[in-house]
Amino acid sequence: MTTSILPAVTLDEMLTALGRPTAWIEAGVVVGCLGAAWVVVRLIRGAQAPQGSVWFGRRIIDGVLFPILALALAYGARRVMLGLDLPLAVFKIAIPVLLSFAVIRLSVRVLSAAFPSSRLVRVAERTISWLAWLTVVAWITGVLPVVLDELDAIQFKLGGAHVSVRNVIEGALSAGFVLVLVLWVSAAIESRLLQGAYGEQLSLRKAAANGVRAILTFVGLLLALTAVGIDLTALSVLGGAIGVGLGFGLQKLAANYVSGFVILAERSLRIGDMVKVDGFEGRITDI
């Protein structure tokens, strides 16, 4: 059972509410919240954004802080207007839009910080953006609650527990959100560990950072599955069977991953060393 920020309404009710005079008041309050968030972020950030910062982008609205602050202000203003017994219409659109914007910026900025040279970040940005905005459109038009009810009716048995398709989707989204937070924390820890390091010290700190990321990812996924209500004991048998089946096909990948830690620990190759292999020469920048 999940809760939502705003109650579901039909499209006709939304259009009728937008035609009321109070809708202009709401629009003005929303614009004021956006302006206040912009000013606060501008004052905190200063003239230039910190390099590689998740909170601040190259422009003020590119970072995570602006949409989160705007969402918090809008939600607070909505609570105040509800206390004044004013009918709401614009806030029922503005808050889901700001929530989607915050999710998109958080995911994109964290992925860019965790994988700065990966080409898949751009693909992930487009995928997350499409999913977030389609969810907002489905919510505003009243389609999303109906779809969720239908997905909740499709159930199957996993171990000793009954799981619906909705639970699986919510679990995947929760796991993805937790994974983004884990990458954020691990990227911050890695940046702090590697700051000012060089030579052998850099390789050892890199090994520690990789170990912290792996542990945080594993713990985060377990917490995400538990929060959704999926019994982890029911996944033990299935996970064991899948692990044995995939183990043969992923032996090389696992060996390479472990070899990275071995190389960093033995310091036979270090970050910054010049290497030459089959006529190709270059400097090691990451392991």
Side-chain angles (χ1 to χ4, degrees):
M1 188 70 180
T2 58
T3 58
S4 57
I5 294 179
L6 296 174
V9 294
T10 64
L11 183 58
D12 292 337
E13 292 174 345
M14 181 69 67
L15 294 176
T16 302
L18 288 174
R20 296 169 181 166
T22 54
W24 290 100
I25 300 176
E26 292 183 77
V29 174
V30 171
V31 172
C33 292
L34 294 175
W38 189 92
V39 171
V40 171
V41 175
R42 179 66 175 80
L43 293 175
I44 296 177
R45 191 189 72 162
Q48 295 181 348
Q51 293 292 332
S53 173
V54 174
W55 290 106
F56 309 101
R58 286 174 294 182
R59 298 187 300 270
I60 291 180
I61 62 174
D62 285 350
V64 178
L65 185 58
F66 174 77
I68 290 180
L69 184 58
L71 177 62
L73 293 175
Y75 188 74
R78 171 184 172 270
R79 295 295 299 268
V80 172
M81 296 189 72
L82 282 176
L84 297 176
D85 200 22
L86 294 176
L88 300 181
V90 178
F91 278 102
K92 293 179 180 179
I93 299 177
I95 290 183
V97 168
L98 290 174
L99 179 61
S100 296
F101 186 35
V103 170
I104 293 171
R105 296 319 308 164
L106 175 63
S107 304
V108 171
R109 295 298 300 175
V110 170
L111 290 176
S112 299
F115 309 103
S117 59
S118 177
R119 297 179 180 178
L120 296 177
V121 173
R122 186 64 178 173
V123 178
E125 178 181 359
R126 294 177 179 176
T127 303
I128 295 171
S129 299
W130 275 104
L131 291 176
W133 293 127
L134 287 175
T135 302
V136 170
V137 172
W139 175 259
I140 293 174
T141 56
V143 175
L144 184 60
V146 177
V147 174
L148 291 179
D149 290 338
E150 293 296 330
L151 293 177
D152 203 19
I154 305 175
Q155 297 186 357
F156 56 92
K157 194 172 183 180
L158 181 62
H162 290 277
V163 181
S164 66
V165 176
R166 178 177 177 177
N167 295 137
V168 175
I169 295 176
E170 290 177 348
L173 294 177
S174 300
F177 182 74
V178 171
L179 185 59
V180 168
L181 294 181
V182 167
L183 290 175
W184 187 0
V185 174
S186 61
I189 294 176
E190 180 177 355
S191 177
R192 195 63 177 265
L193 286 175
L194 300 182
Q195 186 176 7
Y198 59 91
E200 296 183 0
Q201 189 181 30
L202 177 61
S203 297
L204 291 177
R205 291 191 181 187
K206 181 63 177 178
N210 289 344
V212 169
R213 175 176 295 187
I215 294 174
L216 288 177
T217 302
F218 178 73
V219 174
L221 290 177
L222 292 182
L223 292 177
L225 294 176
T226 304
V228 175
I230 298 178
D231 188 6
L232 297 181
T233 59
L235 299 177
S236 59
V237 178
L238 179 62
I242 294 177
V244 173
L246 295 180
F248 294 99
L250 298 179
Q251 284 182 358
K252 188 174 181 180
L253 179 62
N256 288 336
Y257 190 74
V258 175
S259 297
F261 285 99
V262 174
I263 291 174
L264 289 171
E266 291 183 348
R267 288 171 285 182
S268 56
L269 291 173
R270 298 174 298 180
I271 296 176
D273 289 348
M274 292 294 299
V275 295
K276 184 176 182 180
V277 180
D278 292 337
F280 295 95
E281 185 175 354
R283 185 181 301 276
I284 299 176
T285 59
D286 195 8
I287 300 179

